[in-house]
Every structure is written in C-alpha cells, then in structure tokens.
C-alpha cells in the first residue's frame, strides 16, 4: 500500500463517517440534506487509487475504477446543490432548475462511462494513479468545472454582501470548496501527464476538516457536538487501529521469512491490544474537547439555574419579569434583553425591556405572526445574524424586518 492508496482510503473513511453523523444527528435543513450527497460522492470518488491498485486482471480492475467513477459524475451537481443552499440562492437560472439539470447531465454520462469513450485505461503505481482519457473525458471536465464554477460565483456574490457569522460561514465553505476543486484539478491533470507530487486526496481530507471547523465554530448546520465526536474519532481511533495493519504490510517479509508467521497475525494481535487503548484515548480527548466547546453553554445553564432559584421567592408578576431580565443580562452576559408575554388574547406584548435603545412600548406580535409560528414550531432560537440579513427560508421576513430595524 503506497501513500496514494492510503490517502484514498483515509479520505473515503473520513467522508463516510462525517456523512453518517450529519445524516443521523442533523435537523433536516436544506444545508444538511445537500451536504450528505457531496460528502458521499466526493469521498467515494477518492477510492479511485484504491480501485486502481486492486490485484486483478487489467479488465476487471478497469471495471471497478469505472464503478467508482460513477460518483464522480454526480460530484459536480452535489457541489452546486450545496453551494446554492449555503448561499440561500434560488436554483433557477433562465427558468431552469440548475441542480436537477446538472444531475440529468451526470446521468447522461453513464452510458459512455463503461466504454472507452470516457476512460480508456488506468495507469497505476507511477506512484500515483491516472486515467487514460477517452474522447468524452474533456467534456466531463468541462461539465464538472461549470457546476463548480457557478457555485463558486454565487457564493462569492453573496459573501460580498453579507456580514458577521454568515460571512464567516460562506468564507470557510468557499475555502473548503477551493481545496476540493484543486484536488479535482490535480486528478484531471494527471490524466494528461501532470505528475502528482503529493496525493490530491489529502486536499479532500483538508476540505472535510475545514467544513467540520465551520460547523463547530460558526454553527453551519447546528450539529457541533456530533461533528466534534466524529472528528475526534477519525483523528484518534482510526489511526490507532490502522497502525498494526500498516506495520504488518511494512514488515511482511520480515515476519514471514524470519519468524515464519503469517503477516496478518501482527494486525490481528496489535488491533486487539490497541482497541481498548484507543477507546480510552478517544473518550478522554472527546470529553475534554466537548468541555471546551460547551464551556459557554454550560455557564448559561448554571446562570439559568440561579435565576430559577430566585424566581420562586417573588410573587408579583411585574417584579418577577424585571428580575428575569436583569438576571439574564448580568449572569448570562447578554447586552439587550426584552420580554414578551402572552396576554391570553392571542397577542404577545412587550412587558419589560433591558434594551438600551428602547423598544416601542406598544410593540406586540400576533400569535399568527411568522416569527411566533416559527418559534412555536421549531422550539429553537433565531440567530441574530439571520435577522440582520433580513432573509429567511421559512417566511419570517415581516417580523425580522421589524426587529432588525430596531437593532
């Protein structure tokens, strides 16, 4: 196993684990639904060197390379779908659904994929792996470049007009996209004689790591803890388990010639010994990482417990509401706090405010207002940066405009 095959398998495993956690732990948002395909398609495409290294007759090996390449046909459309979802852009251009159209074009490549028109052969162990391009291969490169290029352009257009956390989200997605795109450029270049100085799949690994960082730091998809556990598991546990297998391959001749042992005995024994150690290291690092990630959140929780203990001592509603506002400001560290109360008539009226600029005293929201409906339905906070953009996919624009005009 050379370094190109190793990077191929590593990128695939990392992508598979991240996609699985996003699918299981995600909340079903458009960004999450479009994130899973791009991770699976790009990650499986990374198996190209592994498929090219299979100890099979040339025709069978080429067949499995083409099977892996099926995911390459849909990686560009997946890039497009995810980019437009992050940019919160419409998928239409000139009246056509771009994402659907791009997937249809990808499907159209399938008949030529399993012929010499797209991939004639595979050059192996150069030490890198490269396809021998067919007549339609440049057309596929143009298709991939067009889908990714349009996604880049839309992300850049939105990036220039946004601020704060949303700007950082798009920035890291844009950089991660660039890493994955250059990985594809190196792959395409190798088909036309460009030597790979290092495995381009490492760029895919970097892309996934950067996406995970954006999720953790800038709430890209609100699955921070799940993503953190995935990263720790991949970076800690998988290398520990793979070490005996790598050692077995390296010392295969030594084990079989000197000790007359089958080479797989070292991986089997080593993995049995290292597996419990790996779990111990994983849980220790995971717990410490979660403590750092959730440090601020746990401080909020403790502050809320303190507030609830004080609330039981006060019987007058107005004093209680004033106390809640002041305690939230001082203990949680929030600068501006306003409290709206249901007046039993279907209206939420402003009862007390710790907002420095002052809300209008008659400010109220109907129970049918989009922002109230959203809070009741999702039971989750609305991020301030979403309000400042004045945009929302859930129909909250009217209420958001009222609040953002006061901020």
């Amino acid at each position: 196993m050379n370094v190109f095959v190793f990077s191929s398998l590593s990128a695939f495993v990392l992508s598979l684990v991240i996609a699985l956690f996003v699918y299981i732990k995600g909340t079903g948002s458009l960004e999450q639904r479009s994130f899973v395909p791009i991770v699976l398609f790009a990650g499986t495409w990374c198996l190209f060197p592994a498929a090219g290294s299979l100890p099979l007759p040339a025709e069978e090996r080429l067949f499995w390379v083409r099977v892996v390449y099926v995911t390459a046909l849909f990686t560009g459309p997946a890039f497009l779908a995810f980019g437009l979802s992050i940019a919160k852009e419409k998928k239409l251009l000139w009246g056509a659904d771009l994402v659907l159209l791009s997937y249809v074009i990808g499907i159209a490549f399938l008949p030529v994929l399993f012929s010499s028109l797209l991939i004639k052969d595979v050059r192996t162990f150069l030490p890198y792996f490269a396809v021998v391009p067919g007549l339609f291969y440049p057309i596929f490169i143009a298709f991939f470049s067009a889908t990714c290029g349009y996604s880049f352009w839309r992300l850049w257009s939105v990036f220039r007009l946004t601020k704060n956390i949303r700007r950082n989200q798009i920035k890291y997605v844009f950089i991660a996209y660039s890493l994955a795109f250059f990985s594809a450029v190196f792959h395409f270049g190798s088909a036309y004689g460009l030597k790979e100085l290092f495995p381009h799949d490492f760029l895919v690994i970097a892309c996934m790591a950067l996406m995970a960082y954006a999720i953790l730091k800038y709430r890209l998809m609100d699955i921070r803890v799940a993503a953190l556990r995935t990263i720790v598991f991949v970076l800690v546990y998988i290398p520990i388990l793979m070490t005996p297998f790598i050692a077995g391959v390296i010392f295969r001749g030594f084990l079989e010639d000197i000790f007359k042992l089958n080479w797989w005995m070292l991986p089997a024994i080593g993995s049995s010994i290292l597996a419990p150690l790996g779990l111990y290291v994983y849980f220790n690092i995971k717990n410490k990482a979660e403590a750092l990630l959730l440090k601020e959140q746990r401080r909020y929780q403790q502050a809320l417990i303190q507030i609830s203990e004080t609330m039981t001592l006060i019987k007058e509603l107005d004093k209680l509401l004033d106390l809640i506002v002041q305690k939230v400001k001082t203990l949680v560290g929030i600068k501006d706090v306003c409290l709206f109360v249901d007046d039993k008539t279907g209206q939420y009226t402003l009862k007390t405010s710790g907002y420095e600029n002052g809300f209008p005293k008659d400010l109220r929201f109907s129970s049918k207002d989009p922002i109230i409906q959203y809070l009741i339905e999702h039971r989750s906070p609305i991020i301030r940066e979403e309000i400042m953009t004045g945009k929302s996919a859930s129909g909250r624009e009217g209420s958001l405009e009222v609040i953002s005009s006061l901020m």
Side-chain angles (χ1 to χ4, degrees):
M1 180 186 298
N2 71 5
V3 67
F4 290 87
V5 177
F6 174 77
S7 67
S8 165
L9 295 173
S10 300
F12 171 72
V13 171
L14 176 61
S15 302
L16 190 64
V17 173
I18 290 178
L20 181 62
F21 267 90
V22 170
Y23 178 78
I24 294 174
K25 299 294 184 179
T27 57
S29 67
L30 177 61
E31 292 88 348
Q32 291 164 16
R33 293 197 304 271
S34 58
F35 180 75
V36 173
I38 191 175
V39 174
L40 288 177
F41 289 147
T44 306
W45 188 5
C46 290
L47 284 177
F48 167 71
S53 67
L54 292 174
L56 298 172
E59 289 187 3
E60 292 184 30
R61 184 171 63 241
L62 178 59
F63 170 79
W64 287 111
V65 165
R66 287 169 173 165
V67 169
V68 168
Y69 233 82
V70 170
T71 58
L73 303 181
F74 304 114
T75 299
F79 263 103
L80 179 62
F82 183 64
L84 294 181
S85 69
I86 292 297
K88 298 189 184 302
E89 289 283 314
K90 293 182 178 180
K91 299 178 181 179
L92 299 180
L93 180 66
W94 301 317
D97 187 323
L98 282 180
V99 175
L100 177 60
L101 178 61
S102 64
Y103 274 107
V104 170
I105 295 174
I107 294 173
F109 275 102
L110 284 174
V112 298
L113 173 60
F114 290 89
S115 71
S116 60
L117 291 174
L118 192 66
I119 300 176
K120 292 181 179 179
D121 200 357
V122 183
R123 292 179 290 176
T124 62
F125 296 104
L126 298 174
Y128 56 90
F129 296 76
V131 303
V132 177
L135 180 65
F136 280 68
Y137 199 74
I139 300 176
F140 167 67
I141 294 176
F143 166 65
F144 180 86
S145 301
T147 53
C148 293
Y150 184 78
S151 184
F152 274 127
W153 177 56
R154 296 313 308 157
L155 281 172
W156 176 253
S157 299
V158 175
F159 174 79
R160 293 187 303 159
L161 302 176
T162 55
K163 299 179 180 179
N164 302 322
I165 191 171
R166 181 158 162 72
R167 184 180 180 88
N168 284 319
Q169 288 177 348
I170 296 177
K171 177 179 69 176
Y172 283 102
V173 171
F174 192 89
I175 297 173
Y177 260 35
S178 300
L179 292 173
F181 182 76
F182 280 116
S183 173
V185 169
F186 292 147
H187 173 70
F188 295 144
S190 66
Y192 294 96
L194 179 66
K195 293 183 179 180
E196 283 194 41
L197 300 179
F198 67 94
H200 65 265
D201 289 328
F202 283 141
L203 293 177
V204 177
I205 295 175
C207 168
M208 301 302 174
L210 197 57
M211 288 283 200
Y213 177 79
I215 293 170
L216 293 170
K217 187 171 180 62
Y218 296 109
R219 299 182 56 154
L220 183 59
M221 290 184 294
D222 201 24
I223 52 168
R224 297 177 297 164
V225 174
L228 176 66
R229 292 172 179 172
T230 302
I231 294 170
V232 173
F233 180 83
V234 170
L235 296 181
V236 174
Y237 201 71
I238 290 181
I240 288 177
L241 292 181
M242 289 188 65
T243 299
F245 287 92
I246 296 173
V249 173
I250 294 175
F251 296 105
R252 179 173 182 173
F254 182 77
L255 291 171
E256 293 179 347
D257 296 339
I258 304 300
F259 292 97
K260 307 301 180 182
L261 297 174
N262 290 322
W263 72 273
W264 53 263
M265 291 186 65
L266 178 59
I269 297 173
S271 297
S272 300
I273 296 174
L274 292 178
L277 175 62
L279 282 176
Y280 175 78
V281 174
Y282 164 70
F283 281 115
N284 272 274
I285 296 179
K286 177 184 72 70
N287 292 336
K288 291 179 180 179
E290 285 183 8
L292 290 174
L293 177 66
L294 303 177
K295 180 180 179 181
E296 194 69 11
Q297 180 177 323
R298 288 171 179 170
R299 187 177 72 83
Y300 291 165
Q301 292 172 348
Q302 186 61 36
L304 293 174
I305 292 174
Q306 295 179 30
I307 294 173
S308 64
E309 292 173 350
T310 308
M311 287 171 57
T312 59
L313 305 175
I314 300 176
K315 306 303 181 182
E316 297 181 26
L317 180 60
D318 290 339
K319 289 185 177 180
L320 178 60
L321 297 179
D322 287 335
L323 176 67
I324 291 174
V325 169
Q326 294 305 317
K327 287 292 186 180
V328 168
K329 289 187 67 174
T330 56
L331 295 178
V332 181
I334 298 176
K335 181 181 178 182
D336 301 312
V337 181
C338 296
L339 192 60
F340 291 80
V341 178
D342 184 359
D343 61 4
K344 305 302 182 182
T345 65
Q347 298 288 322
Y348 288 83
T349 59
L350 179 64
K351 286 295 184 181
T352 183
S353 173
Y355 185 66
E356 293 184 356
N357 295 332
F359 272 101
K361 293 183 178 180
D362 61 346
L363 182 61
R364 63 182 59 202
F365 295 106
S366 167
S367 59
K368 296 181 180 180
D369 192 285
I371 197 170
I372 302 299
Q373 291 294 317
Y374 178 87
L375 292 171
I376 292 174
E377 179 182 353
H378 294 275
R379 300 286 181 179
S380 63
I382 299 174
I383 308 304
R384 179 178 183 273
E385 283 70 19
E386 290 182 1
I387 296 176
M388 299 304 289
T389 62
K391 294 183 179 181
S392 172
S394 54
R396 294 173 285 155
E397 288 81 356
S399 302
L400 296 180
E401 288 175 0
V402 171
I403 298 179
S404 62
S405 66
L406 299 168
M407 303 183 75

